[in-house]
């Protein structure tokens, strides 16, 4: 069933799993594509795959769930059954710097701990490591979302991405 909409008492904001609110998919697709353009069809298929387990897309809404402010996608890590990977986090450009990234990340962590019974969250970032450090993430070795590797990947060693982890 998942968590009910996360809503700080008296707050006009809610964080919800998108598969429980399919009417938000089009607006969420537009938000994600404003940051990382991709075909609407591919984006919608990704959002439609959201479920109570993994993958799961979470959205931060306001205005009676008529406006999508932020989105994050949680994905499975085949080699780590008790962890997930935050594949993407995006906040509407007009709403950045107001704590919405922190709010959606807090809900994602709660969802992972309470609903999914996970013990850790991994992510990668190119330029937001300061933000993730402030909310409790620590640097870690690169991790593959695609299963165990039996050899080193030199491309990961030279990547600009920084991998981070938070134990729940």
């Amino acid at each position: 069933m998942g968590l009910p909409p996360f809503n700080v008492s008296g707050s006009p904001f809610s964080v919800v799993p998108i598969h429980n609110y399919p009417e938000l998919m089009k607006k969420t697709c537009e938000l994600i594509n404003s940051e990382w353009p991709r075909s609407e069809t591919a984006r919608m298929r990704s959002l439609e795959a959201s479920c109570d387990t993994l993958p799961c897309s979470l959205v931060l809404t306001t205005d009676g769930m008529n406006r999508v402010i932020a989105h994050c996608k949680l994905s499975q890590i085949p080699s780590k059954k008790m962890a997930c990977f935050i594949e993407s986090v995006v906040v509407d450009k007009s709403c950045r710097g107001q704590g919405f990234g922190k709010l959606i990340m807090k809900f994602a962590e709660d969802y992972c701990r309470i609903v999914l019974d996970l013990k850790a969250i991994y992510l990668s970032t190119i330029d937001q490591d300061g933000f993730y450090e402030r909310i409790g993430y620590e640097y870690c070795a690169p991790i593959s979302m695609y299963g165990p590797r039996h050899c080193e990947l030199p491309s990961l060693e030279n990547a600009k991405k920084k991998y981070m982890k938070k134990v729940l």
Side-chain angles (χ1 to χ4, degrees):
M1 290 302 265
L3 292 173
F6 175 75
N7 190 326
V8 178
S9 181
S11 170
F13 305 103
S14 295
V15 179
V16 297
I18 199 161
H19 53 276
N20 292 338
Y21 297 87
E23 66 274 14
L24 298 174
M25 286 189 187
K26 178 89 167 140
K27 291 176 183 173
T28 303
C29 179
E30 291 168 1
L31 170 65
I32 300 167
N33 277 344
S34 73
E35 190 73 21
W36 303 293
R38 191 172 171 201
S39 81
E40 183 176 317
T41 302
R43 230 13 119 201
M44 290 299 283
R45 282 191 182 135
S46 175
L47 292 171
E48 289 166 353
S50 179
C51 63
D52 283 338
T53 58
L54 295 173
C56 183
S57 287
L58 303 172
V59 292
L60 173 64
T61 68
T62 191
D63 297 335
M65 290 215 228
N66 288 315
R67 182 171 178 210
V68 174
I69 294 176
H71 166 267
C72 79
K73 182 178 179 182
L74 309 171
S75 294
Q76 180 181 17
I77 304 172
S79 63
K80 296 192 178 287
K81 298 297 180 198
M82 298 305 294
C84 75
F85 193 88
I86 295 188
E87 217 175 299
S88 62
V89 178
V90 62
V91 175
D92 184 299
K93 288 177 178 138
S94 68
C95 298
R96 292 181 184 167
Q98 299 176 46
F100 298 125
K102 184 177 179 178
L103 180 62
I104 199 162
M105 289 299 294
K106 171 69 173 126
F107 182 80
E109 293 162 8
D110 290 345
Y111 189 88
C112 289
R113 191 179 66 262
I114 297 165
V115 176
L116 302 176
D117 194 29
L118 299 177
K119 306 299 179 212
I121 297 176
Y122 291 83
L123 58 83
S124 66
T125 183
I126 294 172
D127 59 356
Q128 295 298 316
D129 46 315
F131 166 75
Y132 292 114
E133 277 186 293
R134 286 190 298 278
I135 61 171
Y137 287 77
E138 298 176 351
Y139 293 98
C140 67
I143 184 166
S144 173
M145 289 178 49
Y146 307 107
R149 301 279 316 170
H150 302 293
C151 62
E152 293 297 317
L153 293 176
S155 61
L156 290 180
E157 291 174 14
N158 298 323
K160 292 180 183 177
K161 284 185 181 180
K162 298 166 193 124
Y163 289 80
M164 303 181 85
K165 171 185 177 181
K166 185 172 188 177
V167 175
L168 300 175

